[in-house]
Amino acid sequence: MTQTPERTTPPAPPAAIDQGKLEAFLGKVVNEVGAAYNTVLTAIGDQLGLYRVLADAGPLSSAELAERSGTAERYVREWANAQAASGFLSYDPVAGTYELPPEQAFVLADDTSPVYLAGIFQGAPAVFGMTPRIVEGFRTGQGVGWHEHGQALFEGTERFFRSGYRANLVSEWIPALEGVETKLQTGAVVADVGCGHGASTLLLAEAFPNSTFVGFDYHQASIDAARARAADAGLPADRVRFDVAGAADYPGTYDVVAIFDALHDMGDPLAVARHVRESLAPDGTFMLFEPAAGDQISDNLNPVGRLYYAISTMVCTPASLDQPGRMALGAQAGPARLGEILTEAGFTRVREAARTPFNIVLEGRP
Ligand SMILES: C[S@@+](CC[C@H](N)C(=O)[O-])C[C@H]1O[C@@H](n2cnc3c(N)ncnc32)[C@H](O)[C@@H]1O
């Protein structure tokens, strides 16, 4: 039997390799894996209230941070060093203290901030835990339902989106739709389809007390959470309710139907858009809120597109593949493709009404 002789010197890199580009990519890899781990550490800091303590207290030693948050110092010290190396905390080597700078506090510790993004970190580890299911999906083509994910994704999604809704929904996006603000002020009937925990429904219900709102979602646990949120907010049950129903067959007729970041998760967005069209009053409005994207793949090869394509691979595309229709639109479909679906569903006037760096709002009229 012949054996390959053992190599005594490392192989030389192939001649075509550019050393500068190789080093740049190796640097990117270190940064990338560090960021992935730091995402989990950030979710831990959020869950344990470490950012809140730091935001309230100013610079703290790891012992002080541990004591005030009821956690173990040795874990906290290692966490804080990783966070300082990531630029999430600053470190004072003389005092031996860690500080949450005000800008980081605005993003990670202030739940009234328009850019409070702790929720997106909360959801990530739950999604990472689904990796074996997603690998199976790559092999078989089968989907993974939204409902199969963990509670942390449902809550994290609610918290992440609520910040943007609170900052823009009532003040910017509703006024951007033709005649909708006046209708809501006067008294309209509104459906929020794929409402999740009802963040958008509740903000609208609070802002427009003459209108009535129903949130639909196929996921029973999300509807239960939305009902609990409505009760906590003291909203009257005859004006705001949440029911389990699919987006292609929910009951009723509405002046406004809204779908917030959910159409692309559905198996048959065309059937859903047709049902929305049928469920609208003759002069009604379909408000479609979707992730910001361009119409070409190359338009989306940027940091926001990277994040959305990644989440879409792990969550949105598998969710759609789990439902009848299996259209798997993806989270970066872009306004032209979304507009085509609305037009094919019978909407005669379709336009982009608003846009932020993260999202677009399309308006569909019958
Ligand atoms: C990304 S979450 C967005 C939730 C909520 N609209 C928000 O903005 O926070 C997508 C939601 O769509 C719901 N969903 C997915 N497919 C659905 C379907 N066919 N019918 C009704 N709801 C659906 C999921 O249960 C989930 O709550």
Side-chain angles (χ1 to χ4, degrees), residues 146 157-158 161 165 192-197 199-200 216-219 222 245-247 260-262 265-266 323:
W146 173 265
T157 300
E158 172 191 17
F161 280 114
Y165 297 158
D192 185 354
V193 177
C195 65
H197 288 191
S200 47
F216 293 114
D217 201 289
Y218 87 118
H219 183 220
S222 287
F260 289 93
D261 195 65
D265 293 312
M266 296 172 182
Q323 298 185 15

Side-chain angles (χ1 to χ4, degrees), residues 167-355:
N168 298 297
L169 177 53
V170 172
S171 60
E172 305 287 337
W173 299 334
I174 293 293
L177 303 170
E178 208 188 323
V180 169
E181 188 177 28
T182 309
K183 274 190 196 172
L184 291 173
Q185 284 163 345
T186 313
V189 184
V190 181
D192 185 354
V193 177
C195 65
H197 288 191
S200 47
T201 332
L202 297 177
L203 282 166
L204 288 171
E206 278 161 3
F208 298 105
N210 293 328
S211 290
T212 59
F213 297 84
V214 52
F216 293 114
D217 201 289
Y218 87 118
H219 183 220
Q220 176 74 59
S222 287
I223 289 297
D224 292 343
R227 286 177 179 157
R229 305 283 190 275
D232 289 348
L235 287 162
D238 60 342
R239 209 165 66 68
V240 188
R241 62 169 224 280
F242 292 95
D243 287 335
V244 172
D249 54 15
Y250 61 85
T253 302
Y254 303 92
D255 300 302
V256 180
V257 175
I259 299 187
F260 289 93
D261 195 65
L263 187 74
H264 65 268
D265 293 312
M266 296 172 182
D268 194 343
L270 179 58
V272 170
R274 282 201 177 109
H275 185 66
V276 170
R277 162 91 183 71
E278 283 155 12
S279 74
L280 278 174
D283 192 31
T285 298
F286 179 21
M287 175 183 182
L288 177 62
F289 175 94
E290 279 285 300
D295 293 319
Q296 306 299 328
I297 292 171
S298 46
D299 298 335
N300 304 324
L301 304 184
N302 54 56
V304 172
R306 173 173 104 134
L307 178 62
Y308 281 140
Y309 275 129
I311 296 176
S312 186
T313 309
M314 296 291 286
V315 181
C316 316
T317 301
S320 175
L321 288 173
D322 187 56
Q323 298 185 15
R326 306 183 87 239
M327 189 187 273
L329 203 47
Q332 291 286 272
R337 178 75 187 110
L338 294 166
E340 271 170 28
I341 291 173
L342 266 58
T343 304
E344 202 180 334
F347 289 93
T348 60
R349 287 170 290 162
V350 179
R351 70 181 180 106
E352 185 175 313
R355 181 180 276 264

